[in-house]
Amino acid sequence: MGQAVAGVDVVTDATFAREVLEADLPVLVEFTAEWCGPCRQLAPVLRDIAFEEGDRLKVVQLDVDKDPETTVRYGVLSMPTLMVFRAGEPVKSMVGARPKRRLLQELDDVL
Protein backbone atom coordinates (compact mmCIF):
# COMPACT_ATOMS: atom_id res chain seq x y z
CA MET A 1 0.00 0.00 0.00
CA GLY A 2 1.35 3.43 -0.92
CA GLN A 3 1.00 4.86 2.52
CA ALA A 4 -0.39 3.13 5.51
CA VAL A 5 -2.50 5.37 7.69
CA ALA A 6 -1.19 5.90 11.23
CA GLY A 7 -3.18 3.80 13.71
CA VAL A 8 -4.74 1.75 10.91
CA ASP A 9 -3.22 -1.70 10.41
CA VAL A 10 -2.84 -3.18 6.96
CA VAL A 11 -4.32 -6.66 6.49
CA THR A 12 -3.77 -9.07 3.61
CA ASP A 13 -5.46 -12.17 2.25
CA ALA A 14 -3.06 -14.14 4.45
CA THR A 15 -3.82 -12.25 7.68
CA PHE A 16 -7.51 -11.39 7.15
CA ALA A 17 -8.95 -14.34 9.09
CA ARG A 18 -6.70 -13.78 12.10
CA GLU A 19 -6.86 -9.97 12.17
CA VAL A 20 -10.51 -9.46 11.21
CA LEU A 21 -12.64 -12.58 11.48
CA GLU A 22 -11.16 -13.71 14.82
CA ALA A 23 -10.92 -10.23 16.38
CA ASP A 24 -12.53 -9.61 19.76
CA LEU A 25 -13.76 -6.15 18.75
CA PRO A 26 -15.85 -5.17 15.74
CA VAL A 27 -13.49 -4.43 12.84
CA LEU A 28 -13.93 -1.69 10.24
CA VAL A 29 -12.18 -2.78 7.04
CA GLU A 30 -11.44 -0.26 4.34
CA PHE A 31 -11.03 -1.92 0.96
CA THR A 32 -8.69 0.53 -0.72
CA ALA A 33 -6.28 1.01 -3.62
CA GLU A 34 -3.30 3.26 -4.30
CA TRP A 35 -5.04 4.80 -7.33
CA CYS A 36 -8.20 5.65 -5.38
CA GLY A 37 -8.59 9.40 -4.74
CA PRO A 38 -11.58 9.10 -2.35
CA CYS A 39 -9.55 6.54 -0.35
CA ARG A 40 -6.92 9.22 0.27
CA GLN A 41 -9.65 11.64 1.38
CA LEU A 42 -10.85 9.03 3.84
CA ALA A 43 -7.41 8.40 5.37
CA PRO A 44 -7.53 11.17 8.03
CA VAL A 45 -11.10 10.18 8.94
CA LEU A 46 -10.07 6.56 9.51
CA ARG A 47 -6.99 7.64 11.45
CA ASP A 48 -9.12 9.78 13.78
CA ILE A 49 -11.71 7.05 14.27
CA ALA A 50 -9.00 4.45 14.96
CA PHE A 51 -7.55 6.79 17.59
CA GLU A 52 -10.82 7.90 19.20
CA GLU A 53 -12.75 4.60 19.04
CA GLY A 54 -9.83 2.20 19.49
CA ASP A 55 -11.33 0.66 22.62
CA ARG A 56 -14.58 -0.20 20.77
CA LEU A 57 -13.48 -0.69 17.17
CA LYS A 58 -10.45 -1.95 15.29
CA VAL A 59 -9.74 -0.19 11.96
CA VAL A 60 -7.78 -1.89 9.18
CA GLN A 61 -7.16 -1.47 5.44
CA LEU A 62 -6.86 -4.03 2.69
CA ASP A 63 -5.33 -3.20 -0.70
CA VAL A 64 -7.66 -4.66 -3.34
CA ASP A 65 -4.91 -4.92 -5.95
CA LYS A 66 -2.47 -6.77 -3.71
CA ASP A 67 -5.10 -8.92 -2.00
CA PRO A 68 -7.83 -9.76 -4.52
CA GLU A 69 -8.97 -12.99 -2.86
CA THR A 70 -10.64 -11.29 0.12
CA THR A 71 -11.96 -8.52 -2.13
CA VAL A 72 -13.71 -11.04 -4.39
CA ARG A 73 -14.95 -13.16 -1.47
CA TYR A 74 -16.92 -10.20 -0.10
CA GLY A 75 -18.08 -8.92 -3.48
CA VAL A 76 -16.29 -5.57 -3.20
CA LEU A 77 -16.55 -3.68 -6.50
CA SER A 78 -16.02 0.00 -5.63
CA MET A 79 -13.31 1.79 -3.69
CA PRO A 80 -13.41 2.72 -0.97
CA THR A 81 -15.76 0.13 0.47
CA LEU A 82 -16.03 0.13 4.24
CA MET A 83 -17.20 -3.10 5.79
CA VAL A 84 -17.78 -3.80 9.47
CA PHE A 85 -17.17 -7.34 10.69
CA ARG A 86 -18.41 -8.61 14.03
CA ALA A 87 -17.82 -12.17 15.26
CA GLY A 88 -16.45 -13.15 11.87
CA GLU A 89 -19.44 -11.91 9.86
CA PRO A 90 -19.90 -8.75 7.77
CA VAL A 91 -22.66 -6.76 9.48
CA LYS A 92 -22.51 -3.49 7.54
CA SER A 93 -21.18 -2.25 4.22
CA MET A 94 -20.79 1.33 2.99
CA VAL A 95 -19.35 2.59 -0.29
CA GLY A 96 -17.54 5.89 -0.78
CA ALA A 97 -15.73 8.46 1.29
CA ARG A 98 -17.70 10.33 3.91
CA PRO A 99 -17.02 12.89 6.63
CA LYS A 100 -16.13 11.63 10.08
CA ARG A 101 -19.37 12.69 11.76
CA ARG A 102 -21.47 10.86 9.17
CA LEU A 103 -19.31 7.75 9.35
CA LEU A 104 -19.57 7.67 13.14
CA GLN A 105 -23.35 7.97 12.87
CA GLU A 106 -23.42 5.09 10.42
CA LEU A 107 -21.23 2.98 12.72
CA ASP A 108 -23.37 3.73 15.76
CA ASP A 109 -25.64 0.70 15.40
CA VAL A 110 -22.77 -1.78 15.08
CA LEU A 111 -20.56 -0.54 17.93
Side-chain angles (χ1 to χ4, degrees), residues 1 3 12 28 37 77:
M1 162 145 314
Q3 64 234 31
T12 64
L28 174 63
L77 300 173

mmCIF file with all atom_site columns, all heavy atoms in Angstrom, residues 1 3 12 28 37 77:
data_model
loop_
_atom_site.group_PDB
_atom_site.id
_atom_site.type_symbol
_atom_site.label_atom_id
_atom_site.label_alt_id
_atom_site.label_comp_id
_atom_site.label_asym_id
_atom_site.label_entity_id
_atom_site.label_seq_id
_atom_site.pdbx_PDB_ins_code
_atom_site.Cartn_x
_atom_site.Cartn_y
_atom_site.Cartn_z
_atom_site.occupancy
_atom_site.B_iso_or_equiv
_atom_site.pdbx_formal_charge
_atom_site.auth_seq_id
_atom_site.auth_comp_id
_atom_site.auth_asym_id
_atom_site.auth_atom_id
_atom_site.pdbx_PDB_model_num
ATOM 1  N N   . MET A 1 1  ? 0.853   -1.171  0.000  1.00 0.00 ? 1  MET A N   1
ATOM 2  C CA  . MET A 1 1  ? 0.000   0.000   0.000  1.00 0.00 ? 1  MET A CA  1
ATOM 3  C C   . MET A 1 1  ? 0.894   1.228   0.000  1.00 0.00 ? 1  MET A C   1
ATOM 4  O O   . MET A 1 1  ? 1.886   1.263   0.692  1.00 0.00 ? 1  MET A O   1
ATOM 5  C CB  . MET A 1 1  ? -0.855  -0.075  1.256  1.00 0.00 ? 1  MET A CB  1
ATOM 6  C CG  . MET A 1 1  ? -1.467  1.204   1.649  1.00 0.00 ? 1  MET A CG  1
ATOM 7  S SD  . MET A 1 1  ? -3.077  0.974   2.363  1.00 0.00 ? 1  MET A SD  1
ATOM 8  C CE  . MET A 1 1  ? -3.833  -0.149  1.231  1.00 0.00 ? 1  MET A CE  1
ATOM 9  N N   . GLN A 1 3  ? 0.699   4.344   1.193  1.00 0.00 ? 3  GLN A N   1
ATOM 10 C CA  . GLN A 1 3  ? 0.999   4.858   2.519  1.00 0.00 ? 3  GLN A CA  1
ATOM 11 C C   . GLN A 1 3  ? -0.017  4.299   3.492  1.00 0.00 ? 3  GLN A C   1
ATOM 12 O O   . GLN A 1 3  ? -1.210  4.474   3.305  1.00 0.00 ? 3  GLN A O   1
ATOM 13 C CB  . GLN A 1 3  ? 0.977   6.388   2.533  1.00 0.00 ? 3  GLN A CB  1
ATOM 14 C CG  . GLN A 1 3  ? -0.370  6.983   2.242  1.00 0.00 ? 3  GLN A CG  1
ATOM 15 C CD  . GLN A 1 3  ? -0.314  7.985   1.111  1.00 0.00 ? 3  GLN A CD  1
ATOM 16 O OE1 . GLN A 1 3  ? 0.477   7.876   0.204  1.00 0.00 ? 3  GLN A OE1 1
ATOM 17 N NE2 . GLN A 1 3  ? -1.161  8.961   1.159  1.00 0.00 ? 3  GLN A NE2 1
ATOM 18 N N   . THR A 1 12 ? -3.941  -8.445  4.925  1.00 0.00 ? 12 THR A N   1
ATOM 19 C CA  . THR A 1 12 ? -3.769  -9.071  3.611  1.00 0.00 ? 12 THR A CA  1
ATOM 20 C C   . THR A 1 12 ? -4.670  -10.296 3.540  1.00 0.00 ? 12 THR A C   1
ATOM 21 O O   . THR A 1 12 ? -5.278  -10.696 4.551  1.00 0.00 ? 12 THR A O   1
ATOM 22 C CB  . THR A 1 12 ? -2.306  -9.512  3.429  1.00 0.00 ? 12 THR A CB  1
ATOM 23 O OG1 . THR A 1 12 ? -2.023  -10.527 4.412  1.00 0.00 ? 12 THR A OG1 1
ATOM 24 C CG2 . THR A 1 12 ? -1.329  -8.351  3.589  1.00 0.00 ? 12 THR A CG2 1
ATOM 25 N N   . LEU A 1 28 ? -13.590 -2.465  11.431 1.00 0.00 ? 28 LEU A N   1
ATOM 26 C CA  . LEU A 1 28 ? -13.934 -1.687  10.244 1.00 0.00 ? 28 LEU A CA  1
ATOM 27 C C   . LEU A 1 28 ? -12.817 -1.902  9.229  1.00 0.00 ? 28 LEU A C   1
ATOM 28 O O   . LEU A 1 28 ? -11.666 -1.546  9.484  1.00 0.00 ? 28 LEU A O   1
ATOM 29 C CB  . LEU A 1 28 ? -14.060 -0.200  10.593 1.00 0.00 ? 28 LEU A CB  1
ATOM 30 C CG  . LEU A 1 28 ? -14.275 0.753   9.411  1.00 0.00 ? 28 LEU A CG  1
ATOM 31 C CD1 . LEU A 1 28 ? -15.592 0.473   8.705  1.00 0.00 ? 28 LEU A CD1 1
ATOM 32 C CD2 . LEU A 1 28 ? -14.227 2.196   9.875  1.00 0.00 ? 28 LEU A CD2 1
ATOM 33 N N   . GLY A 1 37 ? -8.582  8.056   -5.334 1.00 0.00 ? 37 GLY A N   1
ATOM 34 C CA  . GLY A 1 37 ? -8.593  9.399   -4.738 1.00 0.00 ? 37 GLY A CA  1
ATOM 35 C C   . GLY A 1 37 ? -9.464  9.505   -3.494 1.00 0.00 ? 37 GLY A C   1
ATOM 36 O O   . GLY A 1 37 ? -9.022  10.010  -2.458 1.00 0.00 ? 37 GLY A O   1
ATOM 37 N N   . LEU A 1 77 ? -16.713 -4.151  -5.123 1.00 0.00 ? 77 LEU A N   1
ATOM 38 C CA  . LEU A 1 77 ? -16.551 -3.682  -6.498 1.00 0.00 ? 77 LEU A CA  1
ATOM 39 C C   . LEU A 1 77 ? -16.065 -2.245  -6.579 1.00 0.00 ? 77 LEU A C   1
ATOM 40 O O   . LEU A 1 77 ? -15.459 -1.853  -7.566 1.00 0.00 ? 77 LEU A O   1
ATOM 41 C CB  . LEU A 1 77 ? -17.889 -3.804  -7.243 1.00 0.00 ? 77 LEU A CB  1
ATOM 42 C CG  . LEU A 1 77 ? -18.458 -5.223  -7.323 1.00 0.00 ? 77 LEU A CG  1
ATOM 43 C CD1 . LEU A 1 77 ? -19.853 -5.191  -7.925 1.00 0.00 ? 77 LEU A CD1 1
ATOM 44 C CD2 . LEU A 1 77 ? -17.547 -6.122  -8.121 1.00 0.00 ? 77 LEU A CD2 1
#
